[in-house]
Amino acid sequence: MALAPVQAPEPTVDGFVTQYLRNLNNGRGVALSTSTANDRYFALAATVRDYLMARWLEDVRRQRTMQSKGVAYLSAEYLLGRQLDNNLLATGLTDIAAEALVACGLDLEDVRALEVEPGLGNGGLGRLAACFIDSLATLGVPSIGYGIRYEYGIFRQTFVDGQQVEQADSWLALGSPWEFPHPEAAQTISFGGHTETYDDEGVTRTRWEPSWNVLAVPYNYMVPGYHNGRVNTLRLWSAQATKGFDLRVFNAGDYQEAVRAQTYAENISKVLYPEDSTPQGKELRLQQQYFFVAASISDFVNLILPSDFDMTHLPERVIFQLNDTHPVIGVPELMRVLVDERKLEWDAAWQITQQCFAYTCHTLLPEALEVWSADLLGRLLPRHLEIIYRINDEFLEQVRERFAGDADRVQRMSIISPDGSVRMAFLATVAGSKVNGVAELHSQLLREKVLPDFDEFFPGKFTNVTNGVTPRRFVRLANPGLSRLITDTIGAGWLTDLDRLRELEDYADDAEFRSAFRAVKAANKRVLARTLAERDGLTVADDHLLDVMVKRLHEYKRQTLKLLHIITEYDAIASGRVTADQVTPRTFVFGAKAAPGYAMAKRIIHLINAVGSVVNDDPRVEGRLKVLFPPNYNVTLAERVVPAADLSEQISLAGKEASGTGNMKFALNGALTIGTDDGANVEIRELVGDDNFFLFGMAEPEVADLQSRGYHPIDFVRADENLSRALELISSGAFSGGDTSVFEPVVTNLTHHDPFMALADYTDYIAAQKRVDALYADQDAWTRAAILNVARCGFFSSDRSMRDYIDRIWHTPPIV
Ligand SMILES: *Cc1c(COP(=O)(O)O)cnc(C)c1O
């Protein structure tokens, strides 16, 4: 009898129906007639899985047996979005599934609505990881994604009286049909205790005697490539108490203590930290980081590689890509494994480690660079702290050698800061074979402003890989109308070769194409309108310019600047300076979560909602301005909002947004960008051309210049009457029922500090919005510009990002 893996079911409607009913009956234990909506969704997911299974098993086998190098992507976050549609698309089964469900008397639309997206990330960084694993699978690159299976992902946001209220995201309440738990393959992860040296046949070695441990249980997820028969793996770790530990305490009669210990251990993967771009110095967070990194390294080194593997060849088999500093504790962990467990010499181990890691930096905000107190590190991971000290000593020795007498430089470059904390970005930079920023401007500023000493010390170590987004999810799935139009116009193939969108340039001046393009945008607005009506009871006018700002709420992103524009437009009508019919009808859409502990961000959310309710209810506005703020912005909502947008707001203070990826999603879906010279906006503008991008505001050197001269926001208030009126309107209580205290902190912060210089860019921003109005008044010209945005943004496919990582950093062999 043949022991080959199962074969996929027949890719026909009949084959699908048979497998679906089998899954409903055998998998869920119900008949179609007695099934719940959740049963029907689970059975559908299981059926799609069945089509992927044989390929997955084959790819896992191949990755274990092949002798070539693969990528292990280490990321504390994966903001995956819904899986069902993506997996149907990857397998080419969407139409078959829809027909099969009809044959069962069901509707694919209804069934797919049951899926809860796994929100295992905060925003851009987590979504980037999700785009990257999609592209790696589509390119057929041998790779594995490692992360944490948080029991609770990013909180669910609701508004009560306009204020953010966070609710637990219990995405696993009904189970997840996409995961495969393997408790039998759990790894033991240790913490605490002390180290001691011992004599090993004449060699002094170090032994770590930890004081407690937890189990890391792997949960595997399929990551299918698009139409290529490849399926990679995402392996997320879940914490479980070690049984022995429990029993000892329990047998001693202390049930509560046993439960407490179990709870303590399992807390490690309980919840995603809801911070975005600021580090949270919590012990639990360090536990999370070590937990998933140690499990992942052990998984690769002990299970994926053969047991007799010679570790000196490790760099020929794996590159661990560090997605920000969260997994950097992996550097001393690999050293510990090589030196203490595999008994390699320190120098040999360091040679290997340096080749096995590469580091992606995601920020320019100095406060977002992660540091850990040596105290905490030493308590939780004593051996790792020793290793970090030694790495630092040897590194600083080299610095002293190169720059004799330059004590300042030695201190500046020390991994251990003067106050005794460990600078994780420095550790990653010293250890990594490469360090990359995520957009051209960001990489340049990283070298010049954040890590200049390191750039000088390690010539050639720094590089750039501009971020990208997957066109499968963010064009094909999110925007089926546009996808159809593109395929009808330039043929298939663009989805895996996004540069081919260039061929659309020829059609920008084709009246027929323009009108089809406009019809797609109008249809997308109707889809969004339906979504927001069902989801939130909101109404969207279908003849408005849709002006969208969706992203995490952060002062550097400057949602307040957007708000000042809205208030200015509103004030002009309300005060009678213009009549309502003189303004371009606009609907402003916001989407934004604020970190629960970020008071100013939460107050800004409150202010957006407050301005929205006044503007939306004022009869003088005659419905020509609308402000919509659907709560709980997530990937599922992004897939509806992005294709409907006319205008994409990318208005961060220049030099603060590392790249942005929202900006790419919008441009690829035919929205025009109003934006600063920041992050990947710079590259978008270079590609689409100045005429097709609304640039405003200071560039980074001007920001630096103003900062050094001394920035006084009040000067800008005095210089622009519209600005002072808008701020005065907030202060006067116009948006808070006459209460002058609620939003006073927002206004005071802007007029007295304005750390992100919103007021300095206000006048130019308003002028740019006037150019938006002017172009929008000429629908042919607008549509032409929108088409050129789509045609010229193929560069922002995450497939291209992956190719750049392969060429510049990973040097993994060509893809077969
Ligand atoms: C793309 C995306 C982001 C990142 O948006 P930026 O504008 O780049 O900050 C955040 N959240 C979700 C849900 C996304 O899809």
Side-chain angles (χ1 to χ4, degrees), residues 79 123-124 127 474 550-551 557 633-635 638 650 660-662 665:
L79 193 55
R127 185 52 237 177
F474 287 109
V550 288
K551 49 184 73 251
K557 292 179 182 276
Y633 177 59
N634 58 11
V635 177
Q650 308 299 337
T661 49
K665 299 170 197 166

Side-chain angles (χ1 to χ4, degrees), residues 273-282 285 289 324-326 363 365-372 424 554:
Y273 272 83
E275 266 77 40
D276 190 67
S277 73
T278 48
Q280 178 72 17
K282 287 276 170 61
R285 193 171 172 102
Q289 295 182 354
D324 215 277
T325 51
H326 314 144
T363 189
L365 307 178
E367 69 270 23
L369 291 172
E370 204 164 35
V371 293
W372 292 108
M424 300 307 274
H554 202 293

Side-chain angles (χ1 to χ4, degrees), residues 21 130 212 313 441 473 597 664 671 684 729 784:
L21 293 175
W212 59 283
H313 293 289
L441 175 67
R473 181 177 293 271
M664 303 168 185
I684 293 176
L729 217 49
R784 183 175 185 281

Side-chain angles (χ1 to χ4, degrees), residues 79 117 121-128 131 276 467 469 473-474 549-552 556-557 632-639 642 648-650 657 659-666:
L79 193 55
E117 76 167 75
N122 273 288
L125 176 148
R127 185 52 237 177
L128 186 77
C131 284
D276 190 67
N467 283 167
V469 299
R473 181 177 293 271
F474 287 109
M549 182 160 190
V550 288
K551 49 184 73 251
R552 280 301 284 254
Y556 85 78
K557 292 179 182 276
N632 202 40
Y633 177 59
N634 58 11
V635 177
T636 307
L637 183 59
E639 288 170 22
V642 169
S648 160
E649 299 273 353
Q650 308 299 337
E657 186 76 88
S659 163
T661 49
N663 47 4
M664 303 168 185
K665 299 170 197 166
F666 282 102

Side-chain angles (χ1 to χ4, degrees), residues 12-21 24 32-33 40 44 94-109 111:
T12 60
V13 174
D14 283 352
F16 200 101
V17 169
T18 307
Q19 192 70 10
Y20 181 68
L21 293 175
L24 203 52
L32 182 57
S33 59
R40 297 192 281 271
L44 179 56
T94 311
D95 293 342
I96 287 174
E99 278 187 56
L101 287 185
V102 168
C104 298
L106 303 173
D107 180 18
L108 179 56
E109 201 64 47
V111 178

